[in-house]
Amino acid sequence: MTKDCVLVINCGSSSLKFSLIVPQSGETLLSGLAERLLSNDASITIKMDGEKNTSRLPDPFDHQSALSHLVAFLYQHKFEQRLLAIGHRVVHGGENYSKPELVTEVVEKTIEALSALAPLHNPVNLIGIRASKQAFSHLPQVAVFDTAFHQTMPKTAYLYGLPYKLYEQHSIRRYGFHGTSHYFVSMQFAQMNNKPIEDTHVITAHLGNGCSIAAIEGGQCVDTSMGLTPLEGLVMGTRSGSLDPGIVFHLCKQLGYSIEQVDSLLNKESGLLGISEISNDCRTLEEAIENDGNEHANLAMDIFCYQISKTIASYSASLSKLDGIVFTGGIGENSSLVRERVVNRLKLLNLAIDNEANLATRFGKSGNIAKAGHTGCWVIPTNEEWVIAEQTYQLINEGN
Ligand code: AMP
């Protein structure tokens, strides 16, 4: 049997997402999610051939038991004979990694050390890597970093207005996230416009539960909106995005918040949820606006869209020219309302939307939704899993 598949693993604190992909054709053979891990309600759902099967996981309900279940399933369907390697999404690669890496002892230690910069993500990514090494000890494991694509940013873009020694001694700087998504849609944009990537100037907006924007020139990221952590930049589902740092002192000194409370407030209780007081979900807010003209929902969406427009416009300072903008992520790919509100504020960039194309380009469709004679405005569904599979495949074939 030909070895042609890569298993992609994306580990969260209580979840493990996976897909089995043939990188060369882009075919997804199966995908799924183990959720509520570490609780006795843990379950795993596997989708294959249009069918979905959910099973409860046995004690100890952890990432290892999820992987054991997956391994048994792969053997049952003889997929293990086709496996080439395992590709892992790792959130923070710091300045150490600007491309995917074969996981070695040193790489594992570095990912562990970088947990200081991503305490919520890197430790669980490592749990996934270690569980997968046990389950597939004979296969290469590859780490694909969310921060890697942004490593080309110049110092002007990645340094904060802080004492330089904080950067030198503690690595405090902008790193950016969603790198595989920005990379993928910028490459797709070039291809769809029949342009070499070296001559492509594009702004990509990844709008999902987490949101970030990147300015990309000649295939290289020159600026992005997320920072040291994914909290910076745009208003998101539950994250506040950028704000006056003085607000943190005010909350602590005047209002008696603890650091943990501020952390939870800014990461989990703010953004669309905090402003609307209804939901962090864009669909629910759109329904509230449409059905009963809910003012809070409308205000939350307006603030959300204004921040996106402002950030896109600010990248006029980063790019030498603009071929187009790209919307991606759950909101970018599906919400005509968000796209319309964002683009309506960007007339100075010669952007204007074609209403019919905007309404028609949803649910997995890609295309240019700009009015004729205006700067390109594209909707391109992202595919981070495929990027991880493809980069894993490329790495293990290097030198062959
Ligand atoms: P993601 O994190 O990329 O999965 O995106 C999640 C976000 O996409 C949520 O806010 C959803 O409400 C939003 N979303 C998904 N489908 C739609 C839709 N049809 N219309 C508007 N928003 C959507």
Side-chain angles (χ1 to χ4, degrees), residues 233-248:
L234 306 169
V235 166
M236 310 182 207
T238 60
R239 295 185 198 132
S240 63
S242 295
L243 37 78
D244 174 359
I247 292 172
V248 175

Side-chain angles (χ1 to χ4, degrees), residues 12 50 62 67 82 86 144 167 184 191 222 226 228-229 257 319 354 362 397 399:
D62 58 3
L67 271 176
R82 293 176 61 179
I86 320 293
V144 179
Y167 166 58
F184 178 75
Q191 224 174 60
V222 291
M226 281 179 167
L228 173 76
T229 74
Y257 276 67
L319 295 171
D354 177 306
R362 305 171 69 192
N397 282 299

Side-chain angles (χ1 to χ4, degrees), residues 208-209 280-283 286 329-331 334-335 362-363:
N209 263 323
N280 63 315
D281 195 299
C282 179
R283 267 168 303 198
E286 286 192 16
I331 298 174
N334 297 303
S335 174
R362 305 171 69 192
F363 313 128

Side-chain angles (χ1 to χ4, degrees), residues 7-12 17 86-92 111 121-122 124-126 128-129 142-147 177-181 206 226 230 239 384-385 388 392:
L7 178 66
V8 175
I9 290 181
N10 180 355
C11 233
K17 268 198 228 162
I86 320 293
H88 296 270
R89 174 182 184 226
V90 178
V91 167
H92 221 303
I111 295 173
H121 298 102
N122 275 28
V124 287
N125 297 155
L126 264 182
I129 290 176
V142 174
V144 179
F145 301 92
D146 237 25
T147 47
F177 299 87
H178 295 138
T180 48
S181 179
H206 178 107
M226 281 179 167
R239 295 185 198 132
E384 291 164 282
E385 285 76 19
I388 296 173
T392 298

Side-chain angles (χ1 to χ4, degrees), residues 3 44 80 99 110-111 134 187 207 236 299 327 334:
K3 285 188 177 290
I44 183 165
E80 93 288 354
K99 56 181 188 48
T110 310
I111 295 173
Q134 273 197 26
M187 297 293 283
L207 311 176
M236 310 182 207
L299 180 64
F327 288 102
N334 297 303

